[in-house]
Amino acid sequence: MTTTTPPIRVLLVDDQPLVRRGLSLILSPDPTVEVVGEAEDGEQAVALARRLRPDVVVMDIRMPVLDGVGATEELSRTLPECKVLALSTFDMDEYVVAALRAGAHGFLPKDVSPEDLGAAIRTVHAGEAVVAPRLLSRLISTYVRAPADVPPPPAAAVTGELTPREVEVWRLMATGLDNTAIARSMDISHSTVKNHITSIFGKLDVRDRAQAVIAAYESGLITARAGTGDRTGAQD
């Protein structure tokens, strides 16, 4: 006797009906996904999510009434089992970073391919982060800053509980390398990289890769050269 895994229940949130329609059409051929509702602003999204209990909310960032950041924060607080995948055209990158901070499990550009959108929904549903590494590093190096009147803590204060290997994995992660590239750079196995990352998440008290990268910038482990997207390691 075989059992069929139920499809992932998805709520689409965007203030443009054509965008919602397009996303729905993109997802309709995918048997692993079921679109259970649509919302045109963040307030409606929160209300529908509470009623429909979707597994994943595909959330636009810029919307009226309540934007995607505010809606993500509310869902993260009241429906933590509901994963948020943020969408953006990347014309307002700081909103994407704010969404990650608010609890989104990842983000994608609105022109994402059907295959990548479906894969991202499945990844987010599994509890993992969906991150475009190079783009994430550019976003954070440009927009993530500690409060102006509070200097960032030295990296040593944050990395004290991490082993030297874990610090190096964290630094490479923050510069945009994926697990395969980190393994190649450090001449270690892919499974060892995954073990290090799990330990790093626990010691830093972060949920996923996106929040770990944000922490690297805010701790001073990685810094951005003013006016550019270049990154430097604080230990170099």
Side-chain angles (χ1 to χ4, degrees):
M1 181 178 177
T2 60
T3 58
T4 303
T5 302
I8 300 167
R9 293 166 53 82
V10 175
L11 174 65
L12 301 177
V13 185
D14 195 289
D15 62 331
Q16 299 183 42
L18 284 177
V19 172
R20 297 197 305 271
R21 178 61 175 164
L23 292 173
S24 183
L25 288 172
I26 284 174
L27 293 172
S28 60
D30 190 335
T32 68
V33 172
E34 177 188 5
V35 176
V36 296
E38 298 180 9
E40 61 184 22
D41 59 57
E43 187 175 275
Q44 190 178 103
V46 172
L48 275 177
R50 288 172 176 162
R51 179 163 63 86
L52 300 174
R53 301 289 169 143
D55 301 306
V56 176
V57 176
V58 177
M59 182 84 73
D60 186 24
I61 298 299
R62 298 295 306 277
M63 293 183 294
V65 186
L66 178 65
D67 66 13
V69 174
T72 297
E73 186 172 16
E74 180 66 15
L75 289 174
S76 181
R77 184 178 64 83
T78 61
L79 291 174
E81 70 279 6
C82 177
K83 309 298 192 304
V84 175
L85 176 61
L87 294 184
S88 174
T89 57
F90 299 120
D91 57 342
M92 292 293 285
D93 292 342
E94 69 270 28
Y95 283 88
V96 181
V97 174
L100 293 173
R101 282 173 156 168
H105 278 66
F107 64 87
L108 293 172
K110 283 191 177 180
D111 60 356
V112 62
S113 72
E115 296 78 15
D116 286 347
L117 179 59
I121 288 172
R122 289 186 287 274
T123 299
V124 165
H125 179 246
E128 300 177 17
V130 177
V131 178
R134 293 181 181 84
L135 182 54
L136 177 62
S137 295
R138 179 179 70 81
L139 293 173
I140 294 173
S141 68
T142 303
Y143 291 105
V144 174
R145 297 290 184 271
D149 57 344
V150 180
V158 179
T159 62
E161 294 187 4
L162 302 182
T163 68
R165 274 289 177 99
E166 289 170 346
V167 172
E168 180 62 10
V169 169
W170 186 26
R171 186 181 70 82
L172 292 173
M173 189 195 318
T175 62
L177 299 188
D178 60 19
N179 290 5
T180 300
I182 292 172
R184 188 182 305 116
S185 175
M186 297 182 65
D187 195 23
I188 57 179
S189 70
H190 193 272
S191 61
T192 298
V193 172
K194 291 181 67 175
N195 289 338
H196 281 318
I197 289 175
T198 298
S199 178
I200 290 165
F201 288 176
K203 291 179 179 179
L204 295 178
D205 192 24
V206 298
R207 187 197 62 228
D208 55 33
R209 199 180 196 96
Q211 292 188 349
V213 175
I214 289 174
Y217 279 94
E218 294 188 326
S219 73
L221 180 69
I222 297 292
T223 59
R225 296 191 184 100
T228 74
D230 296 337
R231 296 162 298 279
T232 59
Q235 296 178 331
D236 293 345

mmCIF file of all heavy atoms in Angstrom, residues 5 10 22 31 44-45 51 54 58 64 75 79 102 107-108 132 135 139 141 151 153 170 173 180 194 199 204 206 218:
data_model
loop_
_atom_site.group_PDB
_atom_site.id
_atom_site.type_symbol
_atom_site.label_atom_id
_atom_site.label_comp_id
_atom_site.label_asym_id
_atom_site.label_seq_id
_atom_site.Cartn_x
_atom_site.Cartn_y
_atom_site.Cartn_z
ATOM 1 N N THR A 5 1.836 11.819 -0.460
ATOM 2 C CA THR A 5 2.125 13.004 0.326
ATOM 3 C C THR A 5 1.206 14.133 -0.106
ATOM 4 O O THR A 5 1.104 14.433 -1.301
ATOM 5 C CB THR A 5 3.590 13.442 0.131
ATOM 6 O OG1 THR A 5 4.448 12.370 0.495
ATOM 7 C CG2 THR A 5 3.911 14.658 0.988
ATOM 8 N N VAL A 10 -0.284 26.625 -0.382
ATOM 9 C CA VAL A 10 0.388 27.905 -0.618
ATOM 10 C C VAL A 10 -0.624 29.044 -0.682
ATOM 11 O O VAL A 10 -1.661 28.932 -1.345
ATOM 12 C CB VAL A 10 1.206 27.856 -1.933
ATOM 13 C CG1 VAL A 10 1.804 29.228 -2.252
ATOM 14 C CG2 VAL A 10 2.313 26.811 -1.823
ATOM 15 N N GLY A 22 -0.408 35.258 -12.447
ATOM 16 C CA GLY A 22 0.774 34.666 -13.068
ATOM 17 C C GLY A 22 1.434 33.622 -12.179
ATOM 18 O O GLY A 22 1.815 32.532 -12.643
ATOM 19 N N PRO A 31 2.378 19.175 -9.175
ATOM 20 C CA PRO A 31 1.494 18.361 -8.330
ATOM 21 C C PRO A 31 1.843 18.416 -6.847
ATOM 22 O O PRO A 31 1.046 17.991 -6.013
ATOM 23 C CB PRO A 31 1.691 16.946 -8.883
ATOM 24 C CG PRO A 31 3.065 16.961 -9.467
ATOM 25 C CD PRO A 31 3.252 18.347 -10.020
ATOM 26 N N GLN A 44 -4.707 41.417 4.851
ATOM 27 C CA GLN A 44 -5.546 40.339 4.350
ATOM 28 C C GLN A 44 -4.794 39.014 4.384
ATOM 29 O O GLN A 44 -5.380 37.958 4.671
ATOM 30 C CB GLN A 44 -5.997 40.657 2.921
ATOM 31 C CG GLN A 44 -7.065 39.737 2.375
ATOM 32 C CD GLN A 44 -7.495 40.136 0.979
ATOM 33 O OE1 GLN A 44 -7.088 39.511 -0.004
ATOM 34 N NE2 GLN A 44 -8.295 41.187 0.887
ATOM 35 N N ALA A 45 -3.489 39.064 4.123
ATOM 36 C CA ALA A 45 -2.672 37.850 4.145
ATOM 37 C C ALA A 45 -2.659 37.220 5.529
ATOM 38 O O ALA A 45 -2.808 35.996 5.669
ATOM 39 C CB ALA A 45 -1.239 38.178 3.712
ATOM 40 N N ARG A 51 -6.943 31.707 8.854
ATOM 41 C CA ARG A 51 -8.129 30.898 8.538
ATOM 42 C C ARG A 51 -7.772 29.661 7.727
ATOM 43 O O ARG A 51 -8.283 28.565 7.992
ATOM 44 C CB ARG A 51 -9.143 31.753 7.771
ATOM 45 C CG ARG A 51 -10.408 31.001 7.374
ATOM 46 C CD ARG A 51 -11.523 31.943 6.993
ATOM 47 N NE ARG A 51 -11.210 32.742 5.821
ATOM 48 C CZ ARG A 51 -11.415 32.341 4.558
ATOM 49 N NH1 ARG A 51 -11.929 31.139 4.321
ATOM 50 N NH2 ARG A 51 -11.131 33.134 3.542
ATOM 51 N N PRO A 54 -2.051 27.926 5.611
ATOM 52 C CA PRO A 54 -1.187 27.433 4.533
ATOM 53 C C PRO A 54 0.161 26.990 5.089
ATOM 54 O O PRO A 54 0.564 27.394 6.184
ATOM 55 C CB PRO A 54 -1.033 28.660 3.628
ATOM 56 C CG PRO A 54 -1.162 29.824 4.570
ATOM 57 C CD PRO A 54 -2.198 29.394 5.579
ATOM 58 N N VAL A 58 3.748 32.919 -0.120
ATOM 59 C CA VAL A 58 4.618 33.623 -1.081
ATOM 60 C C VAL A 58 4.234 35.091 -1.001
ATOM 61 O O VAL A 58 3.146 35.486 -1.417
ATOM 62 C CB VAL A 58 4.432 33.058 -2.503
ATOM 63 C CG1 VAL A 58 5.287 33.834 -3.495
ATOM 64 C CG2 VAL A 58 4.793 31.572 -2.538
ATOM 65 N N PRO A 64 0.164 47.902 -0.036
ATOM 66 C CA PRO A 64 -0.550 48.883 0.791
ATOM 67 C C PRO A 64 -1.104 48.241 2.063
ATOM 68 O O PRO A 64 -1.043 47.024 2.236
ATOM 69 C CB PRO A 64 -1.688 49.346 -0.126
ATOM 70 C CG PRO A 64 -1.952 48.145 -1.000
ATOM 71 C CD PRO A 64 -0.607 47.511 -1.232
ATOM 72 N N LEU A 75 3.143 36.984 11.034
ATOM 73 C CA LEU A 75 3.006 35.547 10.812
ATOM 74 C C LEU A 75 4.081 34.769 11.559
ATOM 75 O O LEU A 75 3.811 33.701 12.120
ATOM 76 C CB LEU A 75 3.074 35.237 9.316
ATOM 77 C CG LEU A 75 1.874 35.672 8.480
ATOM 78 C CD1 LEU A 75 2.134 35.428 7.008
ATOM 79 C CD2 LEU A 75 0.613 34.928 8.919
ATOM 80 N N LEU A 79 2.038 32.520 13.749
ATOM 81 C CA LEU A 79 1.918 31.249 13.032
ATOM 82 C C LEU A 79 3.305 30.770 12.595
ATOM 83 O O LEU A 79 3.620 30.733 11.400
ATOM 84 C CB LEU A 79 1.013 31.401 11.800
ATOM 85 C CG LEU A 79 -0.473 31.649 12.023
ATOM 86 C CD1 LEU A 79 -1.174 31.914 10.694
ATOM 87 C CD2 LEU A 79 -1.115 30.462 12.729
ATOM 88 N N ALA A 102 12.579 39.855 9.795
ATOM 89 C CA ALA A 102 11.242 39.672 10.355
ATOM 90 C C ALA A 102 10.845 38.205 10.453
ATOM 91 O O ALA A 102 9.884 37.878 11.139
ATOM 92 C CB ALA A 102 10.217 40.426 9.514
ATOM 93 N N PHE A 107 14.062 34.576 -0.077
ATOM 94 C CA PHE A 107 13.472 35.490 -1.040
ATOM 95 C C PHE A 107 13.903 35.126 -2.444
ATOM 96 O O PHE A 107 14.926 34.477 -2.657
ATOM 97 C CB PHE A 107 13.856 36.939 -0.737
ATOM 98 C CG PHE A 107 15.330 37.224 -0.856
ATOM 99 C CD1 PHE A 107 15.895 37.572 -2.073
ATOM 100 C CD2 PHE A 107 16.146 37.143 0.253
ATOM 101 C CE1 PHE A 107 17.243 37.835 -2.184
ATOM 102 C CE2 PHE A 107 17.503 37.398 0.149
ATOM 103 C CZ PHE A 107 18.054 37.752 -1.067
ATOM 104 N N LEU A 108 13.076 35.551 -3.398
ATOM 105 C CA LEU A 108 13.332 35.299 -4.812
ATOM 106 C C LEU A 108 12.943 36.535 -5.609
ATOM 107 O O LEU A 108 12.084 37.305 -5.184
ATOM 108 C CB LEU A 108 12.506 34.117 -5.315
ATOM 109 C CG LEU A 108 12.826 32.729 -4.776
ATOM 110 C CD1 LEU A 108 11.766 31.745 -5.259
ATOM 111 C CD2 LEU A 108 14.202 32.275 -5.218
ATOM 112 N N ALA A 132 19.782 33.419 -2.419
ATOM 113 C CA ALA A 132 20.685 33.600 -3.545
ATOM 114 C C ALA A 132 21.987 34.160 -2.959
ATOM 115 O O ALA A 132 22.047 35.343 -2.631
ATOM 116 C CB ALA A 132 20.092 34.565 -4.561
ATOM 117 N N LEU A 135 23.721 37.483 -4.232
ATOM 118 C CA LEU A 135 22.800 38.604 -4.100
ATOM 119 C C LEU A 135 22.562 38.935 -2.640
ATOM 120 O O LEU A 135 22.517 40.106 -2.254
ATOM 121 C CB LEU A 135 21.472 38.284 -4.787
ATOM 122 C CG LEU A 135 20.421 39.385 -4.766
ATOM 123 C CD1 LEU A 135 20.995 40.681 -5.325
ATOM 124 C CD2 LEU A 135 19.200 38.961 -5.554
ATOM 125 N N LEU A 139 23.163 42.524 -0.869
ATOM 126 C CA LEU A 139 22.113 43.216 -0.132
ATOM 127 C C LEU A 139 22.576 43.598 1.263
ATOM 128 O O LEU A 139 22.418 44.726 1.713
ATOM 129 C CB LEU A 139 20.875 42.326 -0.014
ATOM 130 C CG LEU A 139 20.097 41.998 -1.292
ATOM 131 C CD1 LEU A 139 19.029 40.972 -0.981
ATOM 132 C CD2 LEU A 139 19.493 43.252 -1.876
ATOM 133 N N SER A 141 25.664 43.694 2.536
ATOM 134 C CA SER A 141 26.803 44.607 2.595
ATOM 135 C C SER A 141 26.379 46.040 2.322
ATOM 136 O O SER A 141 27.008 46.993 2.784
ATOM 137 C CB SER A 141 27.877 44.183 1.581
ATOM 138 O OG SER A 141 27.418 44.371 0.255
ATOM 139 N N PRO A 151 28.526 51.155 18.348
ATOM 140 C CA PRO A 151 29.506 50.509 17.484
ATOM 141 C C PRO A 151 29.311 48.997 17.486
ATOM 142 O O PRO A 151 28.911 48.419 18.496
ATOM 143 C CB PRO A 151 30.845 50.889 18.134
ATOM 144 C CG PRO A 151 30.506 51.187 19.549
ATOM 145 C CD PRO A 151 29.131 51.783 19.518
ATOM 146 N N PRO A 153 29.927 45.114 17.864
ATOM 147 C CA PRO A 153 30.847 44.415 18.749
ATOM 148 C C PRO A 153 31.986 43.807 17.951
ATOM 149 O O PRO A 153 31.808 43.453 16.785
ATOM 150 C CB PRO A 153 29.967 43.318 19.360
ATOM 151 C CG PRO A 153 28.903 43.089 18.343
ATOM 152 C CD PRO A 153 28.647 44.427 17.724
ATOM 153 N N TRP A 170 31.764 30.244 8.738
ATOM 154 C CA TRP A 170 30.835 31.384 8.864
ATOM 155 C C TRP A 170 31.263 32.521 7.957
ATOM 156 O O TRP A 170 30.452 33.132 7.259
ATOM 157 C CB TRP A 170 30.788 31.807 10.324
ATOM 158 C CG TRP A 170 29.781 32.878 10.663
ATOM 159 C CD1 TRP A 170 28.613 33.169 10.017
ATOM 160 C CD2 TRP A 170 29.865 33.788 11.763
ATOM 161 N NE1 TRP A 170 27.976 34.204 10.639
ATOM 162 C CE2 TRP A 170 28.698 34.600 11.709
ATOM 163 C CE3 TRP A 170 30.797 33.989 12.781
ATOM 164 C CZ2 TRP A 170 28.471 35.614 12.644
ATOM 165 C CZ3 TRP A 170 30.558 34.985 13.714
ATOM 166 C CH2 TRP A 170 29.405 35.786 13.649
ATOM 167 N N MET A 173 30.635 31.584 4.331
ATOM 168 C CA MET A 173 29.192 31.628 4.095
ATOM 169 C C MET A 173 28.740 33.065 3.865
ATOM 170 O O MET A 173 27.942 33.349 2.975
ATOM 171 C CB MET A 173 28.470 31.029 5.310
ATOM 172 C CG MET A 173 26.984 30.811 5.117
ATOM 173 S SD MET A 173 26.099 30.507 6.697
ATOM 174 C CE MET A 173 27.237 29.418 7.549
ATOM 175 N N THR A 180 29.071 23.626 -1.216
ATOM 176 C CA THR A 180 30.051 22.961 -2.080
ATOM 177 C C THR A 180 31.312 23.802 -2.225
ATOM 178 O O THR A 180 32.442 23.285 -2.141
ATOM 179 C CB THR A 180 29.436 22.693 -3.465
ATOM 180 O OG1 THR A 180 28.288 21.850 -3.311
ATOM 181 C CG2 THR A 180 30.445 22.019 -4.385
ATOM 182 N N LYS A 194 28.231 20.930 6.458
ATOM 183 C CA LYS A 194 26.870 20.957 6.989
ATOM 184 C C LYS A 194 26.865 20.835 8.510
ATOM 185 O O LYS A 194 26.104 21.521 9.201
ATOM 186 C CB LYS A 194 26.039 19.828 6.366
ATOM 187 C CG LYS A 194 25.738 20.023 4.889
ATOM 188 C CD LYS A 194 24.902 18.894 4.330
ATOM 189 C CE LYS A 194 23.508 18.862 4.910
ATOM 190 N NZ LYS A 194 22.663 17.828 4.278
ATOM 191 N N SER A 199 26.208 23.630 13.818
ATOM 192 C CA SER A 199 26.785 24.085 15.085
ATOM 193 C C SER A 199 26.811 25.602 15.163
ATOM 194 O O SER A 199 26.505 26.192 16.210
ATOM 195 C CB SER A 199 28.200 23.524 15.238
ATOM 196 O OG SER A 199 28.803 23.981 16.436
ATOM 197 N N LEU A 204 25.206 30.745 17.483
ATOM 198 C CA LEU A 204 24.845 32.142 17.222
ATOM 199 C C LEU A 204 23.380 32.418 17.536
ATOM 200 O O LEU A 204 22.950 33.575 17.508
ATOM 201 C CB LEU A 204 25.109 32.498 15.751
ATOM 202 C CG LEU A 204 26.564 32.465 15.281
ATOM 203 C CD1 LEU A 204 26.621 32.806 13.796
ATOM 204 C CD2 LEU A 204 27.425 33.432 16.077
ATOM 205 N N VAL A 206 20.784 31.617 15.648
ATOM 206 C CA VAL A 206 20.124 32.083 14.432
ATOM 207 C C VAL A 206 19.370 30.916 13.826
ATOM 208 O O VAL A 206 19.708 29.747 14.036
ATOM 209 C CB VAL A 206 21.119 32.674 13.414
ATOM 210 C CG1 VAL A 206 21.824 33.885 14.002
ATOM 211 C CG2 VAL A 206 22.137 31.629 12.956
ATOM 212 N N GLU A 218 26.823 42.292 11.058
ATOM 213 C CA GLU A 218 26.565 43.119 12.225
ATOM 214 C C GLU A 218 27.605 42.906 13.329
ATOM 215 O O GLU A 218 27.802 43.766 14.176
ATOM 216 C CB GLU A 218 25.153 42.876 12.745
ATOM 217 C CG GLU A 218 24.098 43.345 11.762
ATOM 218 C CD GLU A 218 22.685 43.298 12.325
ATOM 219 O OE1 GLU A 218 22.392 42.393 13.125
ATOM 220 O OE2 GLU A 218 21.890 44.180 11.956
#
